[in-house]
């Protein structure tokens, strides 16, 4: 929360800190033209999954929620399913022992598991889970429109 508030203007109601403004600029270029909701969901889910490899998942959700809410309004897609997809994606970091305590325990307890092997399998798990979440929430979101 404090990271988001850096550079925030206290005179305004909305959050407009430096980091949030940076992500708004990046995300504006990522929102596909022509209401391609599937591509939008895939992008935000993959960003959340890979960003949680280096940052705590709560931080990822706090930073990405306002951005997703702003982008969903322009795409006319259900905010509920977008935020659910983002929340589940933020807890799906499989690549490094840094990502979650469970990964660290697994990495430390098994003999013969190198960081290179864990990252190789983790990238595959991240991509597969990202695609699966995208398909699931795309169909749920379009079904309950």
């Amino acid at each position: 929360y404090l990271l988001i508030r850096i550079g925030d203007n206290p005179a305004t109601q909305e959050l407009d800190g430096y980091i949030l403004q940076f992500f708004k600029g990046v995300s504006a270029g990522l929102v596909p033209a022509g209401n391609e909701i599937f591509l939008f969901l895939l992008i935000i889910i993959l960003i959340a999954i890979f960003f949680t490899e280096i940052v705590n998942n709560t931080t990822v959700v706090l930073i990405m929620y306002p951005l997703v809410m702003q982008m969903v309004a322009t795409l006319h897609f259900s905010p509920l399913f977008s935020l659910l997809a983002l929340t589940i994606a933020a807890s799906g970091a499989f690549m490094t022992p840094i990502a979650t305590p469970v990964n660290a325990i697994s990495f430390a307890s098994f003999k013969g598991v190198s960081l290179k092997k864990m990252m190789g399998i983790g990238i595959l798990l991240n991509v597969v889970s990202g695609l699966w979440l995208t398909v699931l929430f795309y169909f749920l979101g379009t079904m309950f429109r």
Side-chain angles (χ1 to χ4, degrees):
Y1 179 73
L2 292 176
L3 283 174
I4 294 172
R5 296 298 295 212
I6 294 173
D8 189 32
N9 183 2
T12 61
Q13 284 284 341
E14 67 271 351
L15 291 173
D16 54 359
Y18 299 133
I19 293 175
L20 199 58
Q21 291 300 321
F22 169 76
F23 278 107
K24 279 184 183 178
V26 169
S27 63
L30 293 176
V31 173
N35 291 343
E36 297 171 8
I37 297 167
F38 185 84
L39 187 59
F40 164 73
L41 280 174
L42 181 64
I43 290 169
I44 64 165
I45 286 172
L46 289 178
I47 287 173
I49 287 175
F50 283 101
F51 198 41
T52 55
E53 298 295 345
I54 55 173
V55 180
N56 186 341
N57 57 357
T58 307
T59 306
V60 171
V61 168
L62 278 173
I63 289 173
M64 290 188 70
Y65 262 27
L67 300 174
V68 169
M69 286 298 290
Q70 190 173 30
M71 289 185 280
V72 164
T74 62
L75 291 173
H76 307 294
F77 188 69
S78 170
L80 173 67
F81 293 111
S82 302
L83 296 178
L84 283 173
L86 176 63
T87 303
I88 293 172
S91 62
F94 303 110
M95 224 167 71
T96 62
I98 300 165
T100 62
V102 175
N103 287 3
I105 291 168
S106 299
F107 183 71
S109 63
F110 292 115
K111 303 287 186 229
V113 177
S114 65
L115 184 61
K116 183 178 178 182
K117 182 185 273 187
M118 188 172 186
M119 288 183 73
I121 294 170
I123 287 174
L124 179 66
L125 282 171
N126 282 350
V127 171
V128 168
S129 65
L131 289 171
W132 183 82
L133 282 172
T134 303
V135 169
L136 174 72
F137 282 102
Y138 175 76
F139 285 121
L140 284 174
T142 54
M143 207 166 37
F144 294 105
R145 220 179 240 195

